[in-house]
Amino acid sequence: MPDIWVFLVIIFSSLIKGITGFGFALFSFPLLLIWYSPKEIIPVLMICNLIASILIVVQKKEHKLLDKNAYFLIEAGGLFTIAGVIASVLPPDICW
């Protein structure tokens, strides 16, 4: 039964992010804390949020939302978000 609730929380969070552009982790994190620890939730939410943001940016729009200079910022942000999530789940003696 918790799997159904987790699925519904993620679907509703994605809907909020698609409509407003933010709020994915803001809505889903407190609800998912019922079933999982923050160490398990944060990496998954960051990757899901990154994928949702990429899908929003690459959609065909009538007018361009971003110029070519902004793509470097998005790529660097995505790369270092993933690196930060990986660094946050590694034991401290490996990272430092």
Side-chain angles (χ1 to χ4, degrees):
M1 190 66 171
D3 293 338
I4 295 171
W5 287 110
V6 169
F7 184 72
L8 290 174
V9 166
I10 296 298
I11 292 296
F12 191 69
S13 299
S14 300
L15 179 66
I16 290 174
K17 173 149 177 97
I19 292 171
T20 64
F22 73 98
F24 183 82
L26 185 68
F27 179 77
S28 60
F29 184 72
L31 294 174
L32 291 176
L33 279 175
I34 297 169
W35 298 288
Y36 301 104
S37 70
K39 190 173 183 177
E40 295 171 330
I41 298 172
I42 292 171
V44 174
L45 287 182
M46 291 301 108
I47 292 173
C48 290
N49 202 7
L50 178 66
I51 291 170
S53 296
I54 289 171
L55 289 175
I56 289 170
V57 168
V58 298
Q59 287 178 351
K60 297 267 183 192
K61 306 284 184 189
E62 290 183 15
H63 60 282
K64 286 196 82 89
L65 296 174
L66 303 170
D67 58 354
K68 291 186 179 190
N69 293 332
Y71 283 108
F72 176 73
L73 179 64
I74 293 170
E75 291 168 358
L79 178 68
F80 287 106
T81 298
I82 292 171
V85 168
I86 290 170
S88 71
V89 297
L90 292 176
D93 57 337
I94 293 175
C95 293
W96 311 107

